[in-house]
Amino acid sequence: MSIELRSVSKRFGDVAAVDQVSFSVADRELVALLGPSGGGKTTVLRMIAGLETPSAGDLFIGGHRVNEVPVQDRNIGFVFQNYALFPTMTVSDNIAFGLKVRKWKPADSAARVEELLGVFGLEGLARRFPHQLSGGQRQRVAIARALAPRPQLLLLDEPFAAVDAKIRQELREWLVRLHNELHVTTLFVTHDQEEAMEVASRIVIFSRGRLEQIGSPREVYEQPVNEFVARFIGVLNVLEGPVQKGEARIGELVFPSHGIPDGGTLRIGFRPYAVQLSRNLGEFPFTATLRHTYFLGILLRVEIELDSGLVIKARVTKEDYARLGLADGVRVSFQIREYRVLSSEAGPLAPEVPTSPQPDIAVGI
């Protein structure tokens, strides 16, 4: 079932929680609504569910305008951040609750509950109560309850925020598999960039009630439309310095002015993967000391400090870290392979500026 928002706004008194938001979600798509707290993403989700009414604009589900359609008539499954399970009901009764409200026949309801217990890996837990379950099990029960009446849409508000990191990773993978099996149009709210990048086919990024960008994980990472998106998705080094005699000096680094007049300020941004390191101090134009290494698995994040005190974040693979003989405290030479000229956080980004003829390298967040 498709979803479309056309210039939708929501005001609470003088506060614009959502401001002129327009986007669409295709049938059977899995989409993340991503942004910082207060960005408007949960309000958008609640308007789609019918828990909030738009102050302006139109909302369509399956091509039909639903602004005034009550929540019970939208055939939507909604999963709250805190599970909202009934503590005095068993797992089976929690899953069957929506079916009872919709007056399903007892035999049909029992068959549907049994089916979902199997789909969600909850066999043997039917007679347990929520307090007897782990966080991951409670979340699966909550999603099973939302899906029991066969809704057209599944909406999840920060679905994995209440579980620990290991369970959260397992639930992410499980949600993708579940979506691929059930093919229900799914939207989930998160403020976790990694979660959105890993799970969603497309990401809708919000800030201060406005839609900043919508695109695939690769698009929003590699082609951010402004500095806010570039900073929010992954890590961005941002440097700035005064322009004098047609160039900008930032610590020991020198960049062309890019048209900024003398006396102005040049601001540039670049991803850690754009920084190339070498132990050969003559190989690249700049030198620094490797101050700290963060081990993140296959990729490692390192911080290098120039003699001026300027700190830059870089990324290397575990293999290259070992091959180059890198370690905290060693001196390295480096180059910045490409960067973007920044205007303001809300302003558009200029195209990337290559600084060397080196071949493309793999992208890492």
Side-chain angles (χ1 to χ4, degrees):
M1 186 63 66
S2 64
I3 303 170
E4 184 180 2
L5 280 72
R6 298 181 187 172
S7 301
V8 170
S9 298
K10 179 63 179 180
R11 302 190 67 87
F12 296 99
D14 295 332
V15 177
V18 176
D19 189 9
Q20 294 288 307
V21 166
S22 298
F23 70 92
S24 60
V25 177
D27 183 34
R28 301 185 176 188
E29 197 172 9
L30 174 56
V31 172
L33 307 184
L34 174 67
S37 297
K41 54 193 185 297
T42 294
T43 302
V44 167
L45 199 75
R46 290 175 62 85
M47 284 192 289
I48 294 170
L51 300 173
E52 300 286 354
T53 303
S55 303
D58 293 308
L59 200 157
F60 296 83
I61 296 177
H64 302 286
R65 186 177 181 275
V66 296
N67 288 42
E68 287 80 31
V69 175
V71 59
Q72 63 270 21
D73 294 332
R74 296 196 185 191
N75 194 20
I76 288 175
F78 197 102
V79 179
F80 296 91
Q81 180 177 340
N82 62 353
Y83 316 130
L85 298 178
F86 299 105
T88 59
M89 290 186 183
T90 64
V91 167
S92 287
D93 290 340
N94 264 286
I95 295 174
F97 178 78
L99 306 180
K100 185 177 180 180
V101 170
R102 289 166 175 79
K103 302 186 186 305
W104 277 42
K105 294 179 181 179
D108 293 340
S109 177
R112 179 61 171 161
V113 170
E114 191 67 25
E115 176 190 358
L116 290 170
L117 289 172
V119 170
F120 284 75
L122 298 168
E123 304 97 328
L125 304 178
R127 299 179 65 84
R128 291 192 185 181
F129 292 89
H131 73 273
Q132 298 173 311
L133 305 176
S134 69
Q137 290 168 338
R138 288 196 294 269
Q139 188 58 277
R140 281 184 282 159
V141 172
I143 297 175
R145 182 180 63 183
L147 287 173
R150 304 187 190 279
Q152 299 172 318
L153 306 174
L154 177 62
L155 308 179
L156 305 101
D157 187 11
E158 304 261 10
F160 311 135
V163 296
D164 62 41
K166 184 176 185 301
I167 300 298
R168 189 159 57 245
Q169 180 62 42
E170 292 174 355
L171 285 172
R172 289 175 188 171
E173 297 169 1
W174 171 81
L175 179 62
V176 173
R177 291 196 302 270
L178 180 72
H179 178 264
N180 291 340
E181 291 174 6
L182 300 182
H183 304 296
V184 176
T185 305
T186 303
L187 276 75
F188 72 98
V189 162
T190 182
H191 62 266
D192 186 323
Q193 300 94 325
E194 181 180 331
E195 184 168 281
M197 299 280 281
E198 184 175 343
V199 174
S201 58
R202 286 196 303 152
I203 302 173
V204 187
I205 302 173
F206 292 92
S207 173
R208 301 174 184 175
R210 290 183 174 271
L211 192 157
E212 299 287 349
Q213 185 172 357
I214 181 169
S216 69
R218 189 179 186 95
E219 287 170 345
V220 298
Y221 183 83
E222 294 185 351
Q223 302 168 31
V225 296
N226 57 35
E227 185 179 336
F228 170 81
V229 174
R231 284 179 177 269
F232 195 75
I233 299 291
V235 178
L236 186 73
N237 290 289
V238 177
L239 307 178
E240 60 179 56
V243 174
Q244 295 180 350
K245 298 180 180 179
E247 62 183 22
R249 291 186 175 272
I250 306 173
E252 296 92 321
L253 309 181
V254 181
F255 299 91
S257 67
H258 292 285
I260 296 174
D262 284 4
T265 299
L266 174 70
R267 301 177 70 247
I268 67 165
F270 53 93
R271 298 291 193 189
Y273 68 77
V275 181
Q276 189 171 11
L277 305 175
S278 173
R279 285 296 306 278
N280 180 350
L281 298 185
E283 182 171 355
F284 296 131
F286 310 114
T287 58
T289 301
L290 198 161
R291 289 301 186 195
H292 194 75
T293 302
Y294 299 89
F295 289 88
L296 305 175
I298 295 175
L299 290 174
L300 289 79
R301 189 177 81 226
V302 299
E303 291 183 351
I304 58 174
E305 183 177 353
L306 283 69
D307 294 338
S308 62
L310 183 68
V311 175
I312 292 174
K313 296 180 178 66
R315 282 284 173 96
V316 296
T317 65
K318 183 171 62 175
E319 290 76 12
D320 283 346
Y321 189 89
R323 178 179 59 81
L324 294 171
L326 298 178
D328 291 359
V330 304
R331 294 286 288 177
V332 296
S333 67
F334 73 95
Q335 67 174 348
I336 301 169
R337 298 168 55 132
E338 58 190 18
Y339 61 89
R340 294 178 187 268
V341 177
L342 307 178
S343 53
S344 65
E345 188 162 294
L349 291 185
E352 286 186 326
V353 179
T355 59
S356 75
Q358 300 291 334
D360 289 340
I361 55 177
V363 172
I365 299 173

